[in-house]
Amino acid sequence: MTGKPHLLRPRPPATHDSPGPAQGVAPEQLDYLFDEPAAPEPTPARALGALLAQSRLSGWGDEAVRAALARQLCRLLPDLPPDGRDTVANVALRALEQLARDHVTFVRAALATAIKDIACAPPPVVQKLARDVERSVAEPILHCCATLTDSDLLTVIAAQPAPWALSAIAGRASVSAPVSTAIVEAGDAEATGVLLDNTGAIIPEPALERAVEDSTRHRALQSKLAARPALPPRLALRLADFVDRSVVAVLRSRPDFDEATVAEIAAAVRRRVEWIERAPSETPERRALRLHRTGALGETAIGDALSWNETGFVRAALALRAGAPVQAVGLVLDSGNPRAVTALVWRAGFSMRCAMQVQARAAGIAPHAMLNARQGTDFPLPPAEMARQLELYGLQ
């Protein structure tokens, strides 16, 4: 049957024998009955319902379908109500949380790639993705997602993730001081290098100081430190103690250093060159004894020796300054015990800064295991505890 139903056809025009508009309904008021029904407005609720229904019909078992669902859900996120109690938002959140736990890496990676740039991404979802063990899933979130807070990032770093995760965090558009400190303290040279290259990273001076110390073992960090904006002059001077000539040239050419700082850098280089060009007949131990007798066996000499990896000189110097047998000093340095090494340097009358250098370069203690200074410069242990540590190695 074609045409419109008979019952819906308008009445004929009114005559003197038929009722007028005052007694019935004007024909033009019934025109809407013949119009095609308008399509419902595509609200987020309708779009989400259609999306989920289509996914069910297509088959939840297909990973390609689930990956497509993840991408489309992320497109809907900006239009969903922000109120967490809203039914539509809750349905979307549950679907995203389920996809973030999907057993197929491809699906989780699709979700991570789609959600990483969305400012309103649900925190539970991105936190789950950020802790994923698969690089293709976690790396985009760690590197880009603005929803992750400093607390979230510090939790990830504290879990000792893979090096690529640290590098992803270090390369974020902005990195706060606490997060930068945690990355440096994690001791991964590649991540620290990414951080030093990142002009959007705020790196506190203590963290830069730690990076300078680490650069004695990881030479790739030296040029990055030399070019780092706002490098404190005192750290530049320390860096000049052990870097090669190309790095020193970068330090000396920095426009933010005054003439006095440049002169000190040059002097440090000359002193280091003179140290290694000493008479071949003078052993490290004899040199330590000579400097001790002349009152010149100070932290500068220890630093110069460490820059050339002269552990024999350092052992002899610590023994002379601490009044301890060389054999006992050797036991402490070989122990890998950061507390005992720090106590030995304290007994020798040197600073905590020197203790950190000795831990790293003479005792070979890993960065994450080193005993750090308190408030940047102070010894972190009370004298009684340091004396007790030395007693363990026969030093009374």
Side-chain angles (χ1 to χ4, degrees), residues 202-215:
I202 301 172
I203 309 179
E205 189 167 326
L208 283 172
E209 185 168 5
R210 173 67 176 272
V212 170
E213 299 299 334
D214 291 348
S215 72

Side-chain angles (χ1 to χ4, degrees), residues 70 126 163 236 248 297 315 318 331 341 346 359 378 386 393:
V126 295
V248 170
L297 189 57
R315 293 187 181 213
L318 290 173
L331 289 175
V341 174
W346 164 76
Q359 286 182 76
D378 299 338
M386 288 193 279
Y393 300 89

Side-chain angles (χ1 to χ4, degrees), residues 61-213:
D62 189 336
E63 62 186 53
V65 171
R66 299 198 302 278
L69 173 63
R71 299 186 190 99
Q72 294 176 40
L73 278 173
C74 290
R75 294 191 192 103
L76 284 179
L77 275 178
D79 297 324
L80 293 178
D83 188 350
R85 293 172 296 180
D86 184 274
T87 302
V88 176
N90 277 334
V91 171
L93 177 59
R94 287 197 298 271
L96 289 169
E97 288 176 341
Q98 182 176 345
L99 290 166
R101 296 191 299 269
D102 199 285
H103 66 283
V104 177
T105 301
F106 171 73
V107 175
R108 303 195 309 277
L111 174 59
T113 302
I115 208 171
K116 64 182 176 65
D117 295 319
I118 297 178
C120 60
V125 176
V126 295
Q127 289 165 4
K128 175 69 175 176
L129 295 172
R131 295 191 297 269
D132 203 291
V133 296
E134 295 293 339
R135 182 172 186 172
S136 60
V137 179
E139 189 174 51
I141 300 295
L142 293 172
H143 183 63
C144 298
C145 186
T147 307
L148 289 178
T149 64
D150 277 2
S151 178
D152 296 330
L153 296 172
L154 290 171
T155 298
V156 172
I157 296 171
Q160 298 181 353
W164 55 259
L166 291 173
S167 293
I169 297 173
R172 289 171 67 88
S174 61
V175 185
S176 70
V179 173
S180 292
T181 299
I183 291 171
V184 174
E185 289 180 349
D188 183 79
E190 184 174 349
T192 300
V194 173
L195 188 71
L196 291 170
D197 286 338
N198 186 355
T199 56
I202 301 172
I203 309 179
E205 189 167 326
L208 283 172
E209 185 168 5
R210 173 67 176 272
V212 170
E213 299 299 334

Side-chain angles (χ1 to χ4, degrees), residues 194-253:
V194 173
L195 188 71
L196 291 170
D197 286 338
N198 186 355
T199 56
I202 301 172
I203 309 179
E205 189 167 326
L208 283 172
E209 185 168 5
R210 173 67 176 272
V212 170
E213 299 299 334
D214 291 348
S215 72
T216 61
R217 296 182 302 279
H218 305 289
R219 295 176 62 87
L221 295 179
Q222 295 174 1
S223 59
K224 297 177 183 293
L225 281 162
R228 175 71 191 178
L231 181 71
R234 71 177 188 87
L235 295 184
L237 289 170
R238 190 178 310 175
L239 191 61
D241 279 341
F242 52 82
V243 297
D244 59 30
R245 292 183 179 181
S246 62
V247 177
V248 170
V250 174
L251 288 172
R252 296 180 66 179
S253 64

Side-chain angles (χ1 to χ4, degrees), residues 296-351:
L297 189 57
E299 289 192 26
T300 299
I302 295 290
D304 288 340
L306 288 172
S307 70
W308 294 107
N309 295 319
E310 289 191 349
T311 55
F313 176 91
V314 175
R315 293 187 181 213
L318 290 173
L320 289 167
R321 288 290 302 258
V326 175
Q327 294 82 357
V329 170
L331 289 175
V332 172
L333 294 179
D334 294 338
S335 68
N337 181 349
R339 290 174 171 258
V341 174
T342 299
L344 177 63
V345 176
W346 164 76
R347 176 163 167 166
F350 297 134
S351 67

